[in-house]
Amino acid sequence: MKRIFNIQSPCLDIKQNIQDKIDNLNKPKGSLGMLEDLALQICLIQQTLSPKLSHPCHILFGGDHGIEREGVSVSPRSVTWQQMINFTRGGGGVNMFCNQHGFELKIIDIGVDYNLSDYPKIINRKIANGTKNFLYEAAMTEEQFWNAIDIGAEMTDQCISEGCNIISIGEMGIANTSPSSIWMSIFGDIPLIECIGAGAGLSDEGIKHKYETLRTAIEKFDSNNHDIIDTIRYFGGFEMVGAVGSMLRAAEKHMIILVDGFIMSACILAASKLYPAILKYAIFGHCGDELGHRKMLNMLNAKPLLSLGLRLGEGTGALCAYPIIESAVNMTNEMNSFNNAHITKYF
């Protein structure tokens, strides 16, 4: 069944009251910069003057890509399943940051080309052993697309049932910068060459090969004769479409969505083509080191919180940004106003 999401922009009736509260905290007006912008956004999402963050969850989807067979990534697909197992042992970057910032980590096999059923810490929602090779055919069928959307939404629902109101989403999928670059090019009407980077570390010659491969795939696809869902499913990975479904459900339930790097930015770009209001619920954790990421963020009118040269994926950049979001919430709830601090308001 095709899932329909009811995603509305947050009601603005409360906006002036929120802004008044922020402006009357005992500080020069606007002096806490992006923290004030974040506080306003979070209060609008939660429709309150006293926001809170509860039971943050990090959802990590794993899936393999048929296009990997074309040598568009320096890493082989075996790294996907090896890293998924590593995550169960607490050995990944994502584990460290989840532990540091108090996130519950959920690891989902939505399409890894390996049998991970012996690892109970991995939630088995495998649709297939990776997508098809989009150089020759659609990466997934329409039925698989809606299955991935539903799985993503269900993972968000699971987090909600545990008391979560803020999620971040990560991915593990060798070669997933390739579909991300294509989504960016098609949805942003940007020349493909400006959307392609080194991924996990391609050489200049590797980048050239990647470009030629993806260009050929796009030419075969002919985006002018396909709708948004066709474009998403033709190139996307199961882990990416799962992330789209997770994001859409989170926005529908008025949750804060922490967006990671290039791949997750591509996912929320795709989601926004289906439901533009989703962007009101998104906080962009960082600007990564992949060539097209800054352009994609500009396309989304996004202001990333961090710029640390990250390109690990897994959702690590979003997790690193979480303390800044906590600061915005704490500012709103814990700072005195000019009145109760008995300080003369001078503006």
Side-chain angles (χ1 to χ4, degrees):
M1 181 182 293
K2 297 180 180 180
R3 181 185 283 258
I4 297 173
F5 295 89
N6 180 20
I7 299 175
Q8 306 292 330
S9 294
C11 177
L12 298 180
D13 290 352
I14 196 175
K15 182 177 181 179
Q16 190 57 54
N17 290 337
I18 299 168
Q19 192 64 60
D20 288 344
K21 180 176 182 179
I22 293 169
D23 289 345
N24 281 287
L25 298 175
N26 59 323
K27 59 176 178 55
K29 186 176 180 180
S31 62
L32 284 176
M34 285 184 70
L35 292 183
E36 300 189 25
D37 297 337
L38 276 175
L40 177 60
Q41 181 184 4
I42 292 167
C43 287
L44 282 173
I45 290 171
Q46 298 186 355
Q47 291 289 291
T48 181
L49 274 67
S50 302
K52 66 178 181 178
L53 305 174
S54 61
H55 194 74
C57 287
H58 186 75
I59 305 173
L60 191 149
F61 294 98
D64 279 303
H65 294 253
I67 195 65
E68 177 270 340
R69 303 296 191 196
E70 301 300 321
V72 294
S73 173
V74 70
S75 304
R77 71 171 47 207
S78 57
V79 171
T80 303
W81 66 260
Q82 289 165 0
Q83 274 287 51
M84 291 288 280
I85 294 171
N86 184 41
F87 297 149
T88 70
R89 297 169 177 159
V94 67
N95 301 96
M96 173 188 66
F97 291 123
C98 280
N99 291 338
Q100 180 182 0
H101 301 306
F103 276 70
E104 179 181 344
L105 174 61
K106 296 183 184 297
I107 308 167
I108 299 97
D109 172 9
I110 195 171
V112 178
D113 188 12
Y114 191 81
N115 182 3
L116 295 168
S117 59
D118 289 338
Y119 299 88
K121 291 184 180 179
I122 297 176
I123 300 169
N124 182 9
R125 299 302 307 273
K126 193 192 300 286
I127 295 171
N129 287 338
T131 55
K132 301 291 187 182
N133 186 343
F134 63 65
L135 185 59
Y136 307 106
E137 58 186 315
M140 65 187 74
T141 65
E142 188 171 353
E143 181 181 0
Q144 289 174 326
F145 168 85
W146 288 110
N147 193 1
I149 290 288
D150 285 341
I151 290 168
E154 289 163 14
M155 291 302 106
T156 293
D157 281 338
Q158 186 173 324
C159 295
I160 293 169
S161 72
E162 297 165 0
C164 173
N165 70 359
I166 176 169
I167 61 166
S168 59
I169 304 169
E171 42 65 36
M172 185 64 229
I174 295 303
N176 58 14
T177 59
S178 291
S180 299
S181 296
I182 290 177
W183 284 359
M184 175 183 173
S185 177
I186 292 176
F187 291 140
D189 194 23
I190 295 173
L192 179 64
I193 193 65
E194 297 179 24
C195 306
I196 290 179
L202 283 172
S203 63
D204 289 346
E205 178 135 357
I207 293 172
K208 181 180 178 182
H209 168 71
K210 181 177 178 179
Y211 167 71
E212 293 296 338
T213 302
L214 301 189
R215 181 182 60 81
T216 301
I218 291 175
E219 287 174 352
K220 289 181 178 180
F221 175 65
D222 184 14
S223 60
N224 291 325
N225 292 319
H226 293 84
D227 63 17
I228 293 167
I229 288 175
D230 283 341
T231 303
I232 294 172
R233 73 175 182 84
Y234 197 95
F235 299 104
F238 293 128
E239 85 283 16
M240 297 170 69
V241 178
V244 170
S246 187
M247 291 172 175
L248 290 171
R249 181 59 171 159
E252 184 176 42
K253 299 299 288 184
H254 295 268
M255 299 173 74
I256 301 163
I257 305 167
L258 266 177
V259 183
D260 186 47
F262 186 60
I263 289 94
M264 287 299 105
S265 295
C267 289
I268 203 157
L269 170 63
S272 73
K273 293 300 177 180
L274 297 171
Y275 295 90
I278 192 175
L279 294 175
K280 302 294 185 180
Y281 299 88
I283 295 174
F284 292 81
H286 75 112
C287 180
D289 214 26
E290 186 71 7
L291 178 66
H293 193 202
R294 185 169 295 281
K295 286 190 175 184
M296 194 187 303
L297 292 172
N298 289 339
M299 187 194 315
L300 292 163
N301 294 314
K303 295 180 180 179
L305 300 181
L306 302 172
S307 182
L308 301 176
L310 306 177
R311 54 184 176 89
L312 175 59
E314 303 173 15
T316 46
L319 293 165
C320 282
Y322 182 69
I324 298 173
I325 295 163
E326 283 187 305
S327 294
V329 169
N330 291 345
M331 174 201 78
T332 310
N333 292 328
E334 298 178 18
M335 280 185 73
N336 281 334
S337 67
F338 282 97
N339 286 338
N340 61 28
H342 306 294
I343 295 173
T344 301
K345 185 175 179 181
Y346 49 88
F347 57 85

